[in-house]
Amino acid sequence: MPLNHHPAALTVLEDLHAAAARDAKRWSDRTGTTDATANASGSGALVRLGEFYLAVSPEEGRLLYILARAISARRIVEFGASFGISSLYLGAAAKDNAGALITTEVHPEKCNALRETFAKADLSDAITLLEGDAHETLKSVPGPIDMLFLDGWKSAYLPIFQLLRPKIRVGALILADNCAHAAASDYLATVQSSASGCVTSIRGSLAISCVLS
């Protein structure tokens, strides 16, 4: 596993992945469906989903780490930390690249848990957590941005992309998870257009874009 040199992070990730694996049953018991992201785009969902992990899988996490290391990403920005699983993979990659991850989360309870998680994983020195509405907190993020991971509210993908686009360097990667969600359709249309300056490939539910200009 690519994080063998981060033993504390590995231990925390094992616990978080185990907890996240129980999300489907908990969501089914609550709503009658196993899709915890089906309603994850509106303000009502903001309250309902606060207790759920909505996490990347171990395979997806490893992919995030590999891609960040492959492009030597030193400034990584994440929209939507949730309970920090993707943040740990990205934070470890940023630290190995002598850089840092800037991540966002709107839920105060999740932010408290995230700070504890990053400390236990021995990655606090490589991760900055911005608490609050990412439309506001990300305005102060400096460039150049080497990698952007979108994994928050799907309806916010496009405005977050537009907010940060001037700061994203040529050669950077932009990854958007759960891009098949209807609320992300405007984002997909934008990054797939020639005007975006990006080339985009969709693999499963993940849209991967490389900035060309």
Side-chain angles (χ1 to χ4, degrees):
M1 189 171 183
L3 301 187
N4 286 337
H5 56 299
H6 291 288
L10 269 181
T11 298
V12 175
L13 278 168
E14 288 174 0
D15 292 341
L16 288 175
H17 278 304
R22 296 190 287 270
D23 262 3
K25 184 178 186 306
R26 293 170 58 228
W27 186 258
S28 178
D29 291 344
R30 182 77 59 85
T31 68
T33 174
T34 59
D35 185 2
T37 65
N39 246 339
S41 60
S43 58
L46 184 68
V47 176
R48 290 194 298 274
L49 299 181
E51 65 191 86
F52 291 89
Y53 284 76
L54 306 180
V56 299
S57 68
E59 292 75 17
E60 291 168 330
R62 286 192 288 271
L63 177 62
L64 292 177
Y65 178 89
I66 290 168
L67 291 175
R69 292 286 279 144
I71 65 168
S72 300
R74 297 190 63 188
R75 180 172 288 124
I76 304 173
V77 176
E78 176 183 43
F79 165 55
S82 191
F83 280 97
I85 293 180
S86 55
S87 307
L88 294 183
Y89 287 102
L90 292 171
K95 187 170 186 175
D96 292 342
N97 290 336
L101 166 70
I102 299 169
T103 189
T104 67
E105 180 53 50
V106 68
H107 288 280
E109 297 83 1
K110 282 188 174 182
C111 287
N112 291 334
L114 283 167
R115 294 184 186 97
E116 294 182 9
T117 294
F118 299 155
K120 289 179 181 177
D122 196 24
L123 289 173
S124 293
D125 60 334
I127 303 176
T128 297
L129 173 62
L130 303 179
E131 180 175 350
D133 183 350
H135 297 82
E136 298 298 323
T137 61
L138 287 175
K139 288 180 179 179
S140 61
V141 171
I145 295 170
D146 301 307
M147 184 172 179
L148 172 63
F149 181 49
L150 300 170
D151 197 23
W153 308 112
K154 316 313 165 197
S155 58
Y157 280 10
L158 181 57
I160 294 296
F161 167 75
Q162 292 172 329
L163 173 67
L164 297 177
R165 180 63 177 88
K167 303 176 183 181
I168 302 174
R169 70 166 175 86
V170 172
L173 291 179
I174 305 168
L175 297 94
D177 201 15
N178 302 120
C179 65
H181 197 293
S185 59
D186 55 353
Y187 167 79
L188 277 183
T190 297
V191 295
Q192 289 178 316
S193 71
S194 58
S196 70
C198 301
V199 59
T200 299
S201 178
I202 300 175
R203 292 293 179 265
S205 66
L206 184 69
I208 303 174
S209 303
C210 180
V211 178
L212 301 182
S213 62

